[in-house]
Amino acid sequence: MSIVIVGAGQAGLQIAESLRRGGYEGRVLLLGDESFAPYQRPPLSKKYLADDMADERLQFRPVEQLTKQNIEFRPLTTVTAIDRAAGEVVLASGERVAYEGLALTTGTRVRPLPVPGAEHPAVCYLRGLDDAKRLRSQLASAARVLVIGGGFIGLEVAATARHAGKTVTVVETLDRLMARAVAPVVSEYFAELHRGHGVELRFKVALTAIAGNPDGSLTATLSDGSTVDADLLVAGIGVLPNQELAAAAGLECANGIVVDEFARTSDPRIVAAGDCTWHINRRFAAPLRLESVQNAVDQGKIAAQSLLGNAVPYQDLPWFWSDQYDVKLQMVGLSQAHDSLVVRGAPESAAFSVFYFKAGELLGVDSINRPAEHMLARKLMSLGISPSPDAVADTGFDLKTLLPAP
Ligand SMILES: Cc1cc2nc3c(=O)[nH]c(=O)nc-3n(C[C@H](O)[C@H](O)[C@H](O)COP(=O)(O)OP(=O)(O)OC[C@H]3O[C@@H](n4cnc5c(N)ncnc54)[C@H](O)[C@@H]3O)c2cc1C
């Protein structure tokens, strides 16, 4: 008996360890194409980039702890094909590894810049530890940093670069920051935060070309004809799910590997979890793809249960965070479909929350420097308790009183 896990990231490690915790006694092979043992990605744009965190602290566990759990972790091992008829995966080396159960946790890769000159050596992306090492070393010698993309990763990099004293410009094609994830009031708060720290924000313009200069720097041309000179360009324009392996094996794919609420693909012997999945969560009517630690961990647990023969439906509440300067943004739920919102607290005070509603039902909450309110919102939402917009708007009303008595 053996279970093969393709991709040794957050979700892959979760599945391996959940299998052991669930009493699985067969072989567990965790195959990863990177050279590192499984590590956390969130610090790569935050503390690690700021040179404030050692490599060892990025790792989830020392490799010996995987060995102790009898998890066979193989780095630098790329799976190139799945032979479903034979029940084997094919490695880049040509070796074939048999499986009774297979988990795909292949994550995502960065979306490349679609402009001429994008191969310039001063252009960096940020997905893995190799990228972060390269970016960190180039950042150290750069004076002017141009960030393409005003989403979470771009803004975290901008904050870290600014903190290190660099001149920073952020270019965003939309008219506000983090536009797909947060309300305008939150975008505006973060725009003021970055401007207050000296970042130049350029909205409603796109990068159209990159040209190299003799001194090794680059000149970026924007869609309005203007140019920006920089020593380093960091692109944070989104990611693409690694689903080609699944698609080539005939598994159903959409914007990710399609899985049901039990993290099962269209082949009952194969599960998938994490950033690479287009999945069903019982809380939501439509399938979705999430890029978050919460989803990798919680869906990983569900996938492991399915491999153990237990059909446990995925219904966990999504949550997420982002650190920019000394500001913590914490989000719970999915708020995109809201038809009204209530701001609790004052943005000027740098501590407030935005409660999003649809037809009076709470969809999600974004908290800025309000960790206790974030945790309370998580509790309320996981219990299915929806405070009324009026109760939320009344800052004198203690939302904790809505929780059931202990
Ligand atoms: C810079 C950065 C900052 C982030 N910050 C936050 C944050 O603040 N909060 C938050 O919730 N989330 C954050 N995230 C997102 C979070 O890290 C991801 O959602 C999470 O890592 C997803 O886990 P995963 O296992 O699905 O994918 P990954 O962690 O990407 O792991 C997938 C692994 O599979 C490997 N792989 C792919 N194909 C193959 C193959 N064919 N053979 C072998 N191996 C393969 C990949 O190389 C990779 O190692 C951040 C991500 C990044 C990059």
Side-chain angles (χ1 to χ4, degrees):
M1 284 273 283
S2 62
I3 290 177
V4 172
I5 303 166
V6 184
Q10 183 100 45
L13 177 66
Q14 184 62 53
I15 293 178
E17 296 195 325
S18 293
L19 284 171
R20 286 293 180 236
R21 260 176 234 136
Y24 182 72
E25 289 178 350
R27 266 184 101 185
V28 174
L29 284 109
L30 180 58
L31 311 179
D33 58 2
E34 295 184 77
S35 59
F36 313 102
Y39 61 90
Q40 329 164 43
R41 284 169 208 272
L44 299 183
S45 48
K46 308 176 182 83
K47 281 194 158 189
Y48 186 80
L49 188 59
D51 228 344
D52 199 15
M53 191 172 185
D55 283 37
E56 308 79 66
R57 284 193 49 220
L58 281 181
Q59 265 188 36
F60 290 111
R61 329 235 172 290
V63 177
E64 306 81 70
Q65 281 195 28
L66 299 182
T67 315
K68 249 192 209 157
Q69 299 179 74
N70 204 11
I71 293 166
E72 294 174 48
F73 164 59
R74 288 214 226 164
L76 293 171
T77 303
T78 305
V79 174
T80 53
I82 304 166
D83 183 341
R84 289 165 57 197
E88 293 173 342
V89 294
V90 183
L91 311 186
S93 62
E95 188 189 341
R96 299 174 78 95
V97 181
Y99 65 79
E100 272 79 46
L102 178 64
L104 302 177
T105 51
T106 47
T108 60
R109 60 184 179 278
V110 292
R111 189 185 289 277
L113 285 171
V115 300
E119 64 292 340
H120 190 283
V123 172
C124 283
Y125 296 90
L126 183 53
R127 176 71 200 171
L129 184 47
D130 277 329
D131 298 328
K133 285 178 188 289
R134 177 169 171 251
L135 175 57
R136 197 166 71 169
S137 119
Q138 296 204 198
L139 182 63
S141 57
R144 300 158 303 171
V145 178
L146 173 60
V147 175
I148 305 297
F152 295 111
I153 297 214
L155 293 176
E156 289 181 357
V157 169
T160 305
R162 195 61 208 111
H163 188 69
K166 315 297 176 184
T167 300
V168 180
T169 305
V170 176
V171 167
E172 166 56 52
T173 47
L174 299 176
D175 59 359
R176 61 188 182 88
L177 299 176
M178 302 176 285
R180 286 178 203 90
V182 301
V185 60
V186 179
S187 299
E188 198 39 50
Y189 171 79
F190 277 92
E192 282 313 309
L193 177 72
H194 280 272
R195 284 193 192 105
H197 280 271
V199 173
E200 186 184 349
L201 301 176
R202 304 278 311 268
F203 290 110
K204 295 205 271 187
V205 278
L207 175 72
T208 55
I210 297 167
N213 301 318
D215 65 356
S217 69
L218 56 79
T219 298
T221 303
L222 306 182
S223 50
D224 62 358
S226 64
T227 57
V228 181
D229 294 326
D231 308 304
L232 172 64
L233 184 154
V234 187
I237 59 165
V239 293
L240 301 165
N242 289 327
Q243 62 189 45
E244 291 73 11
L245 190 63
L251 301 176
E252 197 187 333
C253 291
N255 175 21
I257 304 168
V258 172
V259 294
D260 64 11
E261 61 184 325
F262 306 108
R264 294 181 308 213
T265 67
S266 48
D267 179 332
R269 282 211 288 174
I270 308 179
V271 297
D275 284 16
C276 66
T277 62
W278 181 246
H279 65 262
I280 305 286
N281 179 325
R282 262 201 193 170
R283 287 181 172 269
F284 307 106
L288 63 156
R289 200 170 67 71
L290 291 177
E291 294 154 18
S292 71
V293 167
Q294 173 278 321
N295 179 58
V297 169
D298 290 336
Q299 201 187 26
K301 291 178 184 167
I302 299 294
Q305 285 301 323
S306 283
L307 289 168
L308 292 166
N310 307 320
V312 180
Y314 186 34
Q315 49 193 345
D316 295 277
L317 189 61
W319 53 263
F320 187 80
W321 79 96
S322 175
D323 299 325
Q324 296 170 38
Y325 309 101
D326 52 354
V327 174
K328 192 173 244 338
L329 167 65
Q330 291 169 291
M331 310 168 77
V332 55
L334 295 180
S335 59
Q336 283 80 359
H338 72 277
D339 57 20
S340 68
L341 60 82
V342 175
V343 179
R344 190 169 162 94
E348 308 78 65
S349 69
F352 65 103
S353 293
V354 181
F355 286 68
Y356 299 88
F357 295 91
K358 182 163 188 192
E361 278 295 305
L362 186 62
L363 289 188
V365 181
D366 295 347
S367 299
I368 289 89
N369 289 334
R370 290 228 202 193
E373 201 154 77
H374 169 73
M375 290 315 293
L376 176 61
R378 264 164 75 168
K379 258 191 210 149
L380 290 170
M381 290 191 71
S382 59
L383 292 168
I385 299 170
S386 177
S388 70
D390 286 346
V392 171
D394 177 0
T395 47
F397 178 74
D398 184 356
L399 294 173
K400 276 206 289 288
T401 60
L402 296 173
L403 288 172

